[in-house]
Amino acid sequence: MNIPKDLKYTKTHEWVRVEGKNAYVGITDFAQRHLGDIVYVELPEVGSDVEVGDALCSIESVKAASDVYSPVSGKVVDANESLEEEPGLLNQDPYKNWIALIEMANPEEVDALLDAESYAKHCEQEKEAMA
């Protein structure tokens, strides 16, 4: 399983890449593997305000529908519209293909997210619980 070390993670399998006061948000490799073939992404509305834990968007796969939760608070300033035409990009490379760009209201919220090592441990525990 691929877990880039330069990102932050949530226990609900979202990743965050911070650039200044902006946060790119996507789903992890673990998430896309469990979802299976992604067939639809309902992108967040640009200009909308989100709080930590709010449903940011939803993803539908051949197996299930799943919400993606915002790991930070702020305003959605961009959404990756290429996912509307090609939702499977999230399966091909979930770390390259971000879902939303959020201008963070409280950048210190990132400090509460998991680093790569902690996220890897969380995934192992989740796998064991599913077995």
Side-chain angles (χ1 to χ4, degrees):
M1 184 173 44
N2 183 15
I3 303 175
K5 296 201 180 311
D6 61 329
L7 304 176
K8 292 288 197 165
Y9 301 89
T10 67
K11 289 185 175 183
T12 52
H13 306 290
E14 291 85 15
W15 59 260
V16 177
R17 183 177 75 238
V18 175
E19 293 184 4
K21 63 181 194 171
N22 292 322
Y24 287 88
V25 178
I27 62 167
T28 64
D29 190 39
F30 186 92
Q32 72 83 19
R33 286 174 192 251
H34 283 282
L35 284 168
D37 292 336
I38 295 170
V39 295
Y40 177 74
V41 178
E42 181 184 328
L43 294 172
E45 187 177 327
V46 173
S48 61
D49 292 320
V50 292
E51 297 290 326
V52 171
D54 284 355
L56 183 62
C57 70
S58 62
I59 294 176
E60 294 178 17
S61 72
V62 294
K63 291 184 188 177
S66 180
D67 285 333
V68 175
Y69 299 99
S70 184
V72 294
S73 301
K75 182 182 291 278
V76 177
V77 293
D78 199 4
N80 187 351
E81 293 180 7
S82 62
L83 297 176
E84 290 180 325
E85 295 294 319
E86 293 184 77
L89 290 171
L90 292 175
N91 293 116
Q92 293 170 24
D93 191 341
Y95 298 111
K96 177 181 171 191
N97 295 294
W98 53 276
I99 294 169
L101 177 60
I102 299 172
E103 185 179 311
M104 294 183 285
N106 302 305
E108 64 276 1
E109 289 173 341
V110 172
D111 297 338
L113 300 175
L114 302 173
D115 62 17
E117 185 178 334
S118 298
Y119 179 67
K121 287 178 186 169
H122 172 70
C123 291
E124 286 303 316
Q125 291 169 345
E126 211 166 283
K127 276 191 225 172
E128 288 171 12
M130 289 180 192

